[in-house]
Amino acid sequence: MIGLRPGRLGSVVALGAHCDDIAIGAGGTLLTLCGSRPGLRVDALVLSGGGTPREDEERAALAAFCPGADLDVTVLKLPDGRFPAHWEEAKNALEELRRRTDPDVVLAPRTDDAHQDHRGLAKLVPTAFRDHLALGYEIVKWDGDLGSPSVYQPLADDVAEEKVRLLQAHYASQRHRPWYDREAFLGLARIRGIEAAAKYAEAFFVKKLTLDLKG
């Protein structure tokens, strides 16, 4: 069933092409989920950055974004920006993850993301997680590829602020980037919040959703 039953959320898979993708795209949602569901199972798979200081950043950051969770983090060593040449390795990693977990929801990049690594990973998700609700998160960047999302997770004010604080605290390697700042992260959250009739929100894209209206 490609859907989510209210109250039935015990396991999450979070996927990223690069270290920091998950936190930028869905950090507020993870804080919200883990804060309300102690012991939530979170399996995170990141395709690149393994064996570098970025892996250390990612592990520390995801531990902070998933407080109280039963967290498992895997960081692979695929080269950044070269995803198409390593498609088979990435697919094998997703299939291995699927064999050991049956999540209620998958957080992943969206399929029309302009970055080839994000987009490639997103297109692999339904090949491994065929019967799972996959929420495609967004990452603001110079490509100007923001679209019209269809799913929103409102964020409490303190959660939105904590997301920004953790992004700044844990990813020192990214602080020099011109788009990596408080205004960018809170600004997008504020826009998505307006769309969701809230102050702040994270937004997601869904390719397929099955309803169960029997009640």
Side-chain angles (χ1 to χ4, degrees), residues 10 34 37-42 67-70:
C34 294
R37 292 173 171 81
L40 177 72
R41 176 69 182 180
V42 179
D70 178 13

Short mmCIF file of all heavy atoms in Angstrom, two decimals, residues 10 34 37-42 67-70:
data_model
loop_
_atom_site.label_atom_id
_atom_site.label_comp_id
_atom_site.label_asym_id
_atom_site.label_seq_id
_atom_site.Cartn_x
_atom_site.Cartn_y
_atom_site.Cartn_z
N GLY A 10 6.20 3.73 12.55
CA GLY A 10 7.23 3.23 13.44
C GLY A 10 8.60 3.15 12.81
O GLY A 10 9.59 2.90 13.50
N CYS A 34 10.69 12.41 15.34
CA CYS A 34 11.43 11.80 16.45
C CYS A 34 11.04 12.41 17.79
O CYS A 34 11.04 11.72 18.82
CB CYS A 34 12.93 11.94 16.22
SG CYS A 34 13.53 11.00 14.78
N ARG A 37 7.73 10.61 18.62
CA ARG A 37 7.73 9.14 18.61
C ARG A 37 9.05 8.61 19.11
O ARG A 37 9.90 8.16 18.32
CB ARG A 37 7.46 8.62 17.19
CG ARG A 37 6.05 8.90 16.67
CD ARG A 37 5.93 8.52 15.21
NE ARG A 37 4.55 8.58 14.74
CZ ARG A 37 3.94 9.69 14.38
NH1 ARG A 37 4.60 10.85 14.43
NH2 ARG A 37 2.68 9.67 13.97
N PRO A 38 9.29 8.63 20.42
CA PRO A 38 10.55 8.07 20.96
C PRO A 38 10.74 6.63 20.52
O PRO A 38 9.80 5.84 20.52
CB PRO A 38 10.34 8.17 22.48
CG PRO A 38 9.33 9.26 22.66
CD PRO A 38 8.41 9.15 21.48
N GLY A 39 11.95 6.31 20.11
CA GLY A 39 12.24 4.95 19.67
C GLY A 39 11.94 4.70 18.20
O GLY A 39 12.11 3.57 17.73
N LEU A 40 11.50 5.72 17.47
CA LEU A 40 11.24 5.57 16.04
C LEU A 40 12.48 5.01 15.34
O LEU A 40 13.60 5.45 15.59
CB LEU A 40 10.90 6.94 15.43
CG LEU A 40 10.66 7.00 13.92
CD1 LEU A 40 9.35 6.33 13.56
CD2 LEU A 40 10.68 8.44 13.43
N ARG A 41 12.29 4.05 14.48
CA ARG A 41 13.39 3.48 13.72
C ARG A 41 13.68 4.36 12.51
O ARG A 41 12.78 4.65 11.71
CB ARG A 41 13.04 2.07 13.25
CG ARG A 41 14.10 1.43 12.34
CD ARG A 41 15.38 1.11 13.08
NE ARG A 41 16.39 0.54 12.19
CZ ARG A 41 17.60 0.16 12.59
NH1 ARG A 41 17.93 0.28 13.87
NH2 ARG A 41 18.47 -0.33 11.73
N VAL A 42 14.93 4.82 12.38
CA VAL A 42 15.34 5.64 11.24
C VAL A 42 16.57 5.00 10.61
O VAL A 42 17.62 4.88 11.26
CB VAL A 42 15.66 7.08 11.66
CG1 VAL A 42 16.11 7.89 10.43
CG2 VAL A 42 14.45 7.75 12.31
N PRO A 67 16.65 12.80 17.61
CA PRO A 67 16.84 12.54 19.04
C PRO A 67 15.92 11.42 19.53
O PRO A 67 14.74 11.38 19.21
CB PRO A 67 16.45 13.88 19.68
CG PRO A 67 15.53 14.53 18.69
CD PRO A 67 16.06 14.12 17.35
N GLY A 68 16.50 10.49 20.26
CA GLY A 68 15.72 9.39 20.82
C GLY A 68 15.36 8.31 19.84
O GLY A 68 14.66 7.35 20.20
N ALA A 69 15.83 8.41 18.61
CA ALA A 69 15.49 7.42 17.59
C ALA A 69 16.42 6.22 17.66
O ALA A 69 17.56 6.30 18.15
CB ALA A 69 15.54 8.05 16.20
N ASP A 70 15.94 5.11 17.12
CA ASP A 70 16.78 3.94 16.87
C ASP A 70 17.38 4.16 15.49
O ASP A 70 16.81 3.80 14.47
CB ASP A 70 15.91 2.68 16.92
CG ASP A 70 16.70 1.42 16.62
OD1 ASP A 70 17.94 1.48 16.62
OD2 ASP A 70 16.06 0.38 16.38
#
